[in-house]
Amino acid sequence: MANYLYLISYILDNQPGTCELRSEQENLSREAARDYLQGLHRSEASSFTDVQVQRLEHDHERGTSPGHYQQP
C-alpha cells in the first residue's frame, strides 16, 4: 500500500496554518482535509476558511515551513 503525503493549508481566525497528513488515499478531497482539521482544532472548527490540499512528492527539508506565504 502506498502512503501519500499531503500538505493542508488553511486560514483559522484570520491566521494562516498548515499541517501535513499521510494517507493511503491517492486523492484527498477538501472535505476530507476539513474533517481532519476539525479533529485537530475541535473547539475552533467552525471558523476554517480557504482550505487547500496539495499532494507532495517528497518530504520537505528540515527547518522549512511549507504553506502560505510567511513574511521574513
Side-chain angles (χ1 to χ4, degrees):
M1 284 188 233
N3 209 6
Y4 301 100
L5 178 62
Y6 294 94
L7 175 67
I8 303 172
S9 302
Y10 57 93
I11 305 291
L12 177 62
D13 294 330
N14 293 322
Q15 297 296 315
T18 62
C19 66
E20 293 179 349
L21 171 64
R22 290 204 178 267
S23 175
E24 294 179 359
Q25 296 179 5
E26 188 172 350
N27 295 307
L28 185 70
S29 69
R30 285 186 187 179
E31 292 78 22
R34 184 177 291 276
D35 290 344
Y36 178 73
L37 291 172
Q38 287 177 343
L40 290 178
H41 303 280
R42 291 175 192 214
S43 63
E44 306 158 299
S46 62
S47 54
F48 285 112
T49 59
D50 196 29
V51 175
Q52 300 174 16
V53 179
Q54 179 183 1
R55 187 168 138 192
L56 302 176
E57 296 300 321
H58 51 80
D59 292 336
H60 65 85
E61 296 180 29
R62 288 182 174 250
T64 62
S65 298
H68 288 282
Y69 176 75
Q70 296 181 0
Q71 295 182 352

